[in-house]
Amino acid sequence: MKKAKIALAVAFVCLSLAMVCGQAQARSGSLHEVLTMEPGENTVREFVIYDQLDTSKLSPIESYLVIGKGDNDTKMGDLTITLKPTATKAFGAELDYCLIGFIYPLGSMPVFINVTTAAPLSITKIVKMKAIYGFALVGAYIKNIEGDVTLPVPFSITFNWAAK
């Protein structure tokens, strides 16, 4: 049973990476960034999204693969992901955006993320890791734009991987 769960997780990861890389090639780039983090590390990345999600092309989505690596003495603690927009919009305009993803602490249950909110609010997701190794494949996209919103929309994403 345990081997079947691990095989399923590995298959899902491979499929997810293939989808993200295919989507990234469609926008003439690659996976936005692959980050390697150790316990206690914090990193901030800034990016822009040019338009609302086109579901037929699955773009534009800004995606990150974050790989956490601890050691026998220091395990990976909670992973905190914060996504913030700094949108300029007219009164009454709406900008809905999403944080989606798949987080897998090696040896534990995977966690799926699908959170939506509206600018200027931020999204914060905390995932309990308690593992030596783990990874997060996350993406951000604009779900809906109504009214006068200045494009492209600048965002910042923060990854904070605590030590356990």
Side-chain angles (χ1 to χ4, degrees), residues 107-162:
S108 294
M109 295 299 295
V111 176
F112 297 93
I113 301 172
N114 187 7
V115 184
T116 303
T117 194
L121 302 175
S122 63
I123 295 174
T124 298
K125 181 68 178 174
I126 301 172
V127 178
K128 303 237 180 263
M129 295 298 280
K130 298 178 189 165
I132 295 177
Y133 299 102
F135 72 89
L137 179 60
V138 297
Y141 67 91
I142 297 173
K143 184 176 182 178
N144 185 37
I145 299 173
E146 289 184 19
D148 191 17
V149 178
T150 303
L151 295 175
V153 178
F155 284 87
S156 71
I157 190 164
T158 304
F159 299 99
N160 184 349
W161 220 317

Side-chain angles (χ1 to χ4, degrees), residues 64-140:
Y64 293 86
L65 175 61
V66 183
I67 302 168
K69 56 184 184 93
D71 55 38
N72 289 333
D73 297 328
T74 310
K75 291 186 177 181
M76 303 303 292
D78 296 351
L79 172 61
T80 304
I81 303 169
T82 304
L83 179 63
K84 291 188 224 178
T86 52
T88 305
K89 58 183 190 157
F91 180 77
E94 287 186 29
L95 175 74
D96 299 329
Y97 68 97
C98 295
L99 175 67
I100 58 170
F102 173 76
I103 301 172
Y104 183 64
L106 230 53
S108 294
M109 295 299 295
V111 176
F112 297 93
I113 301 172
N114 187 7
V115 184
T116 303
T117 194
L121 302 175
S122 63
I123 295 174
T124 298
K125 181 68 178 174
I126 301 172
V127 178
K128 303 237 180 263
M129 295 298 280
K130 298 178 189 165
I132 295 177
Y133 299 102
F135 72 89
L137 179 60
V138 297

Side-chain angles (χ1 to χ4, degrees), residues 9-28:
V10 169
F12 183 79
V13 168
C14 292
L15 179 61
S16 299
L17 288 174
M19 288 173 52
V20 168
C21 290
Q23 174 267 324
Q25 285 180 339
R27 67 174 183 198
S28 71

